[in-house]
Amino acid sequence: MIALTGILVFAVALVAYGAWLNHAGENVIAERMGNRVLPLRGERAHIHRLQAVMTQDMVNLAPEQMTDAVTRVEGVITEAYVAPHTHVHKGQPICRIVNEDIPLKILQVDSNIAKAEAEKKRSGNMYARHQALLAQDATSVEKVEEAEAGYKAACAAIDELQAQREQLLVMQGRQTIVSPIDGEVLMMYRQAGSFVQAGTAIALVGDFSRLRFSAAMSDEMLRSLLPMDSEREITFSAADFTKVYNTRYGAGNEGQGQHFSVRITDIQPALSEAASMRNVVWSIDNASGVLEAQSYSGVRITEMQPHQVLAVPLDAMIDRQRDAVFVLTDDGRIERQAIRTGAQDADYVEVLSGLREGEIVVTSGAEGLEDGMRATVELDTDDCVPSADGGQTAADGAKGDGTDGRK
């Protein structure tokens, strides 16, 4: 019993000692982690000359005007007045369709009208005679009314035939197919000698001098594009410049190196109405003739004139939402800070709120970082510029013994 008791006491003591060692080890590790100082890189929030850049993976360009020239009569195309890629004006003839039945039907109607005119004259004379006989009490009222009805029916028959003739003349006029809009003949669907039914598209006419596309944008991002009506520059991936409609190139175009002028033409809902997301319509000047109505990828829209804004590097953003950064506090620890961002260029993003000029943000990556961690931050000073009030920048703070630029 004494030996068994000793063994049990020894086992309990061994377990307790192991638990104590484990707890003590965790405390040591936690203490070491708490006292660990992370070497990070960072940069001060500063005034940056930002030329805003917006990117889109893909846009679908559409012309302001593009439609089919459609025949409204059936027949055979006998002559084409224009060739593909010819510029046409609204109402300009494109081709002629001949329906041989229309002239024959017009002759038949003319013959019927002549017969109806004769019937009208006969019934009119009969109606007049019955009126004269009625005045002499030589006929009945019923006979007069019957003669009157016959005369009115003859008049109505002539009116109906005249309407049929007018309709045939309209159809005869429609044998000449005209352009519905100003633009370029992009495609000819039918050639001379083809038989077409009414409602068949003959040619595609469009105006590619201005193309447009729409994109969804957040209200904050849109409002950062001030002024809204300013001209911007848009470029596309060089691999996308292929011709689908084989349209003509404009004089002086730069081919795959062409830069295009673009403007905002419509915003829905309007800026005067509260909304988090808005649909923005952009209009592109395609006078060079390089673009067509199709999809293009690798879209990049750049402001023509840069402006001064408070900015931080894009590398400081914690996630793709661009709404938070890690900031170095006065006691040498990092802290997650919520911010609002606006426009961006290739390297920097505008800070609308949440940071003050001169605050240090971490740029070496947010993975594994947590609030309260101790850190030393080495400043990247390449792009730091003097602030608007003449205050010291990170570049100035890094001069001297090499330690002033660190915290």
Side-chain angles (χ1 to χ4, degrees):
M1 293 296 294
I2 293 174
L4 182 59
T5 301
I7 292 173
L8 291 175
V9 171
F10 177 77
V12 171
L14 186 62
V15 172
Y17 179 69
W20 177 80
L21 284 178
N22 186 52
H23 178 70
E26 289 180 352
N27 288 339
V28 170
I29 293 173
E31 184 177 355
R32 288 179 179 176
M33 291 295 293
N35 294 328
R36 183 181 61 167
V37 179
L38 299 175
L40 302 174
R41 298 192 65 83
E43 189 170 314
R44 296 183 188 274
H46 62 275
I47 301 301
H48 176 71
R49 185 177 174 84
L50 186 140
Q51 193 169 6
V53 175
M54 293 155 286
T55 59
Q56 289 279 116
D57 293 334
M58 179 176 290
V59 296
N60 295 315
L61 300 188
E64 296 183 355
Q65 293 190 95
M66 185 168 71
T67 187
D68 288 326
V70 178
T71 175
R72 300 173 68 179
V73 296
E74 68 175 30
V76 177
I77 300 176
T78 59
E79 185 178 4
Y81 300 122
V82 296
H85 315 301
T86 303
H87 191 275
V88 293
H89 298 286
K90 182 177 181 179
Q92 180 176 336
I94 293 178
C95 66
R96 178 167 179 77
I97 294 177
V98 172
N99 186 324
E100 297 177 349
D101 292 340
I102 294 178
L104 297 177
K105 291 179 179 179
I106 292 176
L107 290 175
Q108 185 178 5
V109 169
D110 287 340
S111 176
N112 292 335
I113 289 175
K115 294 178 181 179
E117 290 283 357
E119 176 62 23
K120 175 184 176 182
K121 185 175 181 179
R122 186 192 67 78
S123 59
N125 292 335
M126 182 177 293
Y127 177 46
R129 285 196 301 272
H130 277 81
Q131 283 183 318
L133 292 173
L134 181 63
Q136 300 173 7
D137 291 331
T139 187
S140 65
V141 175
E142 290 79 5
K143 292 289 186 180
V144 174
E145 291 176 347
E146 183 179 348
E148 181 183 8
Y151 175 70
K152 289 182 177 180
C155 293
I158 291 176
D159 292 340
E160 182 179 356
L161 292 170
Q162 290 286 3
Q164 291 179 12
R165 190 177 193 280
E166 292 295 328
Q167 185 178 14
L168 289 170
L169 291 176
V170 170
M171 293 178 64
Q172 191 174 46
R174 289 174 178 171
Q175 291 182 122
T176 300
I177 310 303
V178 299
S179 173
I181 58 172
D182 291 343
E184 183 179 345
V185 179
L186 303 173
M187 298 180 68
M188 290 292 292
Y189 300 126
R190 298 289 188 273
Q191 305 301 322
S194 301
F195 176 82
V196 293
Q197 298 282 351
T200 302
I202 303 299
L204 177 63
V205 182
D207 182 5
F208 287 177
S209 62
R210 296 203 72 86
L211 297 170
R212 62 187 177 187
F213 69 93
S214 61
M217 298 183 65
S218 68
D219 181 66
E220 290 182 354
M221 173 63 75
L222 182 59
R223 292 183 185 277
S224 70
L225 304 179
L226 296 176
M228 294 288 183
D229 58 349
S230 64
E231 183 177 312
R232 293 175 173 82
E233 186 178 83
I234 185 170
T235 57
F236 303 90
S237 171
D240 290 328
F241 286 99
T242 57
K243 288 283 188 179
V244 174
Y245 298 95
N246 198 28
T247 53
R248 296 177 179 178
Y249 291 104
N253 76 83
E254 299 178 14
Q256 295 182 344
Q258 183 76 42
H259 290 203
F260 306 90
S261 172
V262 62
R263 290 179 180 273
I264 295 176
T265 58
D266 188 33
I267 300 173
Q268 293 296 333
L271 290 174
S272 58
E273 302 178 17
S276 297
M277 296 296 297
R278 303 182 192 276
N279 189 63
V280 183
V281 178
W282 301 79
S283 178
I284 302 175
D285 183 357
N286 187 41
S288 63
V290 174
L291 302 176
E292 289 190 337
Q294 57 175 308
S295 297
Y296 291 91
S297 60
V299 185
R300 183 183 177 94
I301 302 174
T302 308
E303 281 187 319
M304 302 294 286
Q305 297 296 330
H307 54 282
Q308 302 280 1
V309 298
L310 180 65
V312 295
L314 285 168
D315 291 339
M317 298 296 104
I318 291 178
D319 51 35
R320 296 184 63 181
Q321 281 68 39
R322 303 187 314 174
D323 57 3
V325 294
F326 277 111
V327 178
L328 186 67
T329 63
D330 293 336
D331 61 356
R333 298 180 183 274
I334 59 173
E335 181 180 87
R336 183 187 176 96
Q337 178 71 38
I339 63 172
R340 289 176 54 238
T341 57
Q344 71 176 64
D345 59 16
D347 301 307
Y348 285 84
V349 61
E350 178 184 7
V351 178
L352 301 175
S353 65
L355 282 179
R356 298 186 305 274
E357 183 181 356
E359 287 191 273
I360 298 176
V361 297
V362 176
T363 60
S364 54
E367 185 176 357
L369 299 183
E370 298 179 1
D371 279 348
M373 286 184 171
R374 296 177 60 84
T376 59
V377 179
E378 182 178 354
L379 296 181
D380 298 319
T381 60
D382 295 342
D383 289 332
C384 293
V385 297
S387 63
D389 59 2
Q392 189 182 44
T393 66
D396 297 327
K399 296 177 181 179
D401 60 4
T403 60
D404 294 338
R406 302 168 180 264
K407 267 191 178 286

